[in-house]
Every structure is written in C-alpha cells, then in structure tokens.
Amino acid sequence: MTSIAIIGAGPQMGMAIARTFGSQGFDVALISRNRAKLDGLVATLATEGITAAAFPADVLDHDALSQALKDAAARFGGIDVLEYSPLAIESTVLATPAESDPSHIQHEIEVQLYGAMAATKAVLPAMREAGAGTLLYTTGAGSLDPLPMVGNVNAAAAALRNWVVNLHKELDGPGVQAAHIAIDVALGGASMDPTLKAATPEEVSSVYWELHTTKRDQGEIVYKG
C-alpha cells in the first residue's frame, strides 16, 4: 500500500494532487486546520473511488503536525510521499520590502519554512530506514523572482526553496527524493501578476507525479504551463 500526505490540503492544488496520486492507487492523508473542510474533501474523493482521511493540524503547532503525520502513517501503513503547501491567507499581512517589519516575515517563515522542517523531521527517518520516499514542497514563483507587493511572503518562500534545494543535495542518491515546485502560472486565472499564463490545478499536479516517478534526480521544477 502506498500513501501521500498533503499538508495544506484545499479544494484546488491539494485536491488535484490527491486525485493525481489517488488515481494511481495511493491512499491520501489530508492535513490542514479545518476539520469540516477536510471532511468535505474526503467525502468528495470517496465518490471518486479514492481512499482518503482527514488529520486536522496547524503547521504552526509542530507537535500537532507531527502527531497528525504519525496518525496518518499508522492509518495507511506509512507515508511514501509528503507534499507541503500550506496557505494562511487570513493571517497574512502583505508587505513590500520597504514596508516589512520583522514580524511580517517571521510569520511567513514560521508557516512556510519552520512548518516544512517540522513535517520533514516527522517523516524523513522512516523514509531513510525504508530507503525510499518523496518530499515535495510548493511555493509560488516569487521564491525565485519576487514581486514587491508580496515581499514578505516571497522572502519566506525563498528561504524554503533554498532549504529544499539544499535538502535535495544532502539526500542525493537512489533513496529519498526532495524537490521544490515553483508554480509560475495563475491557478484558475487568478493572480496578482497579470502577465502570468493561466493553468488549472490538474495541469500543474502532473509535475508532482513526474517528480515522484520519472524525474527523481531533479531538485526543482518551475512550472510555467
């Protein structure tokens, strides 16, 4: 049995990734803060023949996040793939570089980087012991080419990208794969950058499957559509 844990699961990219892996026989662990929303996603996947379960946790609560991943591993017999892409829109204060206070960036660092580190720490030992596993981390393309209007978010995303690319180098070999995905398109046509090409979450999610299967030597993909 194979499984994927999706942290920050929501109705767009999270569900697209769940469907991509679920259609290949993966069990799906959905992790985010809202139990009711997760239960709705689980029910939707069930109607599509995909086995999924909800494990509510806040990425800012590292103990709760680790426990959710532990519970998911117990439920599905381990975690073969981890995907990390939480959003905290309602708690995010957008700030340009000149406007940013340390607190603006610190909050984003805690959500994007520190949460990713905690999640990785929870699943990596078992993957290393098994000699196999995939760790995938998602940001917008601002992690590479930042926009001033979201300067604080981009700064944290760049920190996560740096850490993931370095993790890929550390894990270099045939066993555990770590990779960063930068989404450089407007999902569903909505974006702060009007120059971006539009794409559906389903179009983007194929990249995650490729990194898990045929592109395991790559530490990063920038999806431009």
Side-chain angles (χ1 to χ4, degrees), residues 8-212:
Q12 292 200 66
M13 276 310 307
M15 282 293 274
I17 295 168
R19 288 181 172 117
T20 294
F21 281 79
S23 66
Q24 299 294 329
F26 275 64
D27 293 329
V28 180
L30 300 177
I31 299 173
S32 70
R33 290 171 295 175
N34 191 309
R35 160 69 79 172
K37 288 182 180 179
L38 287 179
D39 287 343
L41 300 180
V42 168
T44 297
L45 291 172
T47 66
E48 300 171 13
I50 296 172
T51 300
F55 301 90
D58 188 331
V59 299
L60 296 176
D61 185 338
H62 295 173
D63 289 340
L65 180 58
S66 297
Q67 186 61 51
L69 289 164
K70 181 178 179 180
D71 293 343
R75 170 73 177 270
F76 294 129
I79 294 174
D80 302 279
V81 181
L82 174 77
E83 191 278 325
Y84 188 86
S85 55
L87 286 175
I89 296 174
E90 67 281 0
S91 61
T92 297
V93 177
L94 300 181
T96 70
E99 295 170 340
S100 291
D101 291 325
S103 62
H104 295 145
I105 296 176
Q106 180 62 33
H107 173 74
E108 292 303 310
I109 286 285
E110 290 173 355
V111 171
Q112 297 193 57
L113 178 59
Y114 297 166
M117 293 170 69
T120 304
K121 196 171 185 177
V123 301
L124 182 55
M127 289 182 175
R128 275 179 154 161
E129 185 176 352
T134 304
L135 303 162
L136 304 173
Y137 309 82
T138 305
T139 71
S143 59
L144 294 95
D145 184 14
L147 288 172
M149 68 185 75
V150 285
N152 58 322
V153 175
N154 289 166
L160 174 60
R161 173 188 178 264
N162 181 284
W163 183 80
V164 174
V165 171
N166 214 13
L167 179 63
H168 174 81
K169 293 177 180 179
E170 180 183 4
L171 298 174
D172 183 38
V176 183
Q177 151 80 335
H180 170 244
I181 301 95
I183 300 178
D184 194 15
V185 294
L187 288 176
S191 173
M192 291 183 178
D193 185 351
T195 67
L196 290 182
K197 178 180 178 181
T200 66
E202 289 73 23
E203 289 171 330
V204 181
S205 66
S206 62
V207 168
Y208 295 77
W209 183 251
E210 291 169 0
L211 283 167
H212 175 61

